[in-house]
Amino acid sequence: MNQKMSDFTESLRVLDYAHILYLSEQADLYIENAVTYILNGIRNGDRVLFVENPRIYPQIHKKLQQLLSAEELGLIHYVNNFDFYWRKGNFHPDAILEYFESILGAFAADGRQCRTWGHIEWASQQDIDHKIIEYETEVDRSMPQRKSISVCAYDAPRVSDSLRERLMLCHGYLMEDSSVFAISFHDERKARN
């Protein structure tokens, strides 16, 4: 998918923004796609906010070190996904969005476009599906003003059919390890609102 991911994200640059749901099943392809996404952004002069699990990020970072200069690596802002999504001790959409906006606001100072990647994981929490959808809906609503390309990555086996269905309503694109395509009913729903 390396070339597909590169071609896809390059094609999105003409749209100014995109909200992508990534449902991954294979760790090696996930890592390859993440590296490609970051490389494509850096080579286009973007900053990258990369929210990832601390077990996976070292593998991605090691590959990036072989491909990017120290200056280019400086355009990547890594945040541990537990610290990002669980800052208040639970998955609290308002707190996550506030933190997200503060980071993106700091990035805007140098005029570079920003792209984001967030690997969303969760432990047991009452009503977690509802809170995830609340968060994703707000991110989707703010995408046009933010003018960024954002990937929301999930481990596919952990996503129930009902959650998957609802996630597809608040993303414009669905990516899997080896494919990516537009979600047509997403645009229809946004047009009605």
Side-chain angles (χ1 to χ4, degrees):
M1 168 114 173
N2 191 333
Q3 189 58 45
K4 283 183 187 178
M5 169 62 96
S6 183
D7 293 345
F8 171 67
T9 56
E10 187 58 33
S11 73
L12 294 175
R13 291 186 70 75
V14 300
L15 300 177
D16 287 333
Y17 68 91
H19 192 202
I20 304 159
L21 170 62
Y22 182 8
L23 297 173
S24 179
E25 295 196 34
Q26 296 180 11
D28 57 333
L29 294 176
Y30 177 87
I31 291 167
E32 180 183 330
N33 287 329
V35 168
T36 301
Y37 181 80
I38 293 169
L39 284 175
N40 188 270
I42 298 300
R43 292 190 174 139
N44 280 301
D46 297 344
R47 288 194 171 276
V48 178
L49 170 60
F50 198 76
V51 180
E52 184 56 76
N53 141 345
R55 293 179 317 277
I56 295 173
Y57 184 69
Q59 297 169 64
I60 293 167
H61 186 71
K62 182 178 179 181
K63 289 178 183 276
L64 291 170
Q65 285 179 310
Q66 298 168 357
L67 301 166
L68 296 171
S69 69
E71 183 180 328
E72 291 169 322
L73 286 168
L75 295 173
I76 303 165
H77 182 78
Y78 164 69
V79 179
N80 175 314
N81 66 347
F82 180 80
D83 295 340
F84 188 85
Y85 294 110
W86 296 84
R87 292 174 56 78
K88 301 285 184 179
N90 62 7
F91 194 97
H92 190 269
D94 290 338
I96 299 165
L97 291 164
E98 183 180 308
Y99 185 48
F100 185 55
E101 292 300 330
S102 72
I103 293 171
L104 293 183
F107 283 178
D110 69 2
R112 290 180 187 266
Q113 191 168 4
C114 180
R115 63 177 53 203
T116 67
W117 180 291
H119 187 173
I120 301 163
E121 297 179 296
W122 61 92
S124 61
Q125 178 180 332
Q126 187 173 6
D127 209 19
I128 189 67
D129 287 9
H130 175 75
K131 291 180 187 252
I132 289 170
I133 295 302
E134 180 183 335
Y135 168 75
E136 290 285 13
T137 299
E138 185 58 30
V139 169
D140 191 57
R141 186 196 62 71
S142 66
M143 290 305 300
Q145 297 86 5
R146 192 174 293 122
K147 297 190 185 241
S148 67
I149 300 170
S150 292
V151 172
C152 300
Y154 292 83
D155 299 328
R158 295 201 62 209
V159 176
S160 68
D161 290 343
S162 66
L163 179 57
R164 177 187 169 112
E165 218 172 273
R166 292 186 296 167
L167 284 168
M168 288 178 65
L169 290 172
C170 48
H171 290 83
Y173 298 87
L174 174 63
M175 185 167 94
E176 295 172 331
D177 292 321
S178 299
S179 65
V180 62
F181 55 88
I183 302 173
S184 60
F185 58 82
H186 171 265
D187 293 332
E188 294 166 12
R189 183 187 65 100
K190 282 187 96 164
R192 286 192 303 263
N193 292 339

